[in-house]
Amino acid sequence: MSVPILDVIDLHAAYGRIEVLRGVDLAVPRGAVMALLGPNGAGKSTLVKVISGQKEATSGDIHLAGVHVRGARSDDLARVGLCTIPEGRSVFPNLTVEENLVLMSYAGVPAPAILDTAYAYFPRLHERRHQLAGTMSGGEQQMLAMSRALASDPALLLLDELSMGLAPLIVDELYETVARIAESGVSILCIEQFARTALRVADYAAVMSGGRIVATGEPGEILETMADVILGGAA
Ligand SMILES: Nc1ncnc2c1ncn2[C@@H]1O[C@H](COP(=O)(O)OP(=O)(O)OP(=O)(O)O)[C@@H](O)[C@H]1O
Ligand SMILES: [Mg+2]
């Protein structure tokens, strides 16, 4: 097997004295879409924060495409191809759609190319290019957040609860785009509380509970074995 795009090894992290990541082991194969599922408080967002350099680990290792990156700063991680869309999105509400996108050109991709990519994946953003981001619907803001992430030409995209607060139809639409982004060669780790649509586009799935990965496999296997934990009545 080739070197995974992301390899997390026995990772521990705590808030004060409360340990929240208690030995996380997780490998995302290059080019794959992996869904990381798990209930409220499992530690999913904490894992995202540690991988993306926003929170320190207490022990363990993180490798990105074979390079040791635990403790690296967010901007250095961006340079090696990691891009994160945190829980709750990340757009500038008082800037227009287009301004939000053009700002991302600081990372090196020219503005016209960023706009072309964004509008190709999300024609809706083109229609709304002069609208203030903060006045758009939640789904449209998530499209913008994804487009901003793509502007850095990532090798690995971390998506923390893409579906939060959105109607199922919009979530389906966003995940169809996730699948298209993956087809273009980007590896993707998508974090969700429930199975929902994420498993439909995922090549692999992992389940987190109590600060550990408690199951990994193909989506079908995970659904069968972990139905109680991950469906939670909201599939
Ligand atoms: N800044 C913080 N300070 C203290 N405790 C925190 C902090 N952030 C998270 N926690 C705690 O860490 C645990 C894991 O939280 P985390 O946000 O990683 O869970 P999650 O799996 O993302 O949950 P959800 O599905 O609700 O988003 C929870 O018990 C939470 O209360
Ligand atoms: Mg979370």
Side-chain angles (χ1 to χ4, degrees), residues 15 20 38-47 49 87 160-161 193:
Y15 294 104
V20 172
N40 243 297
K44 304 180 299 294
S45 294
T46 303
L47 178 63
K49 284 180 192 141
E87 217 171 27
D160 195 357
E161 293 211 39
Q193 230 176 75

Side-chain angles (χ1 to χ4, degrees), residues 131-167:
Q131 188 171 332
L132 294 182
T135 64
M136 296 202 300
S137 73
E140 289 163 351
Q141 290 189 35
Q142 192 60 278
M143 291 174 194
L144 181 56
M146 284 170 73
S147 297
R148 282 168 51 80
L150 288 175
S152 62
D153 195 16
L156 173 66
L157 205 52
L158 293 186
L159 302 170
D160 195 357
E161 293 211 39
L162 197 65
S163 67
M164 191 190 275
L166 301 178

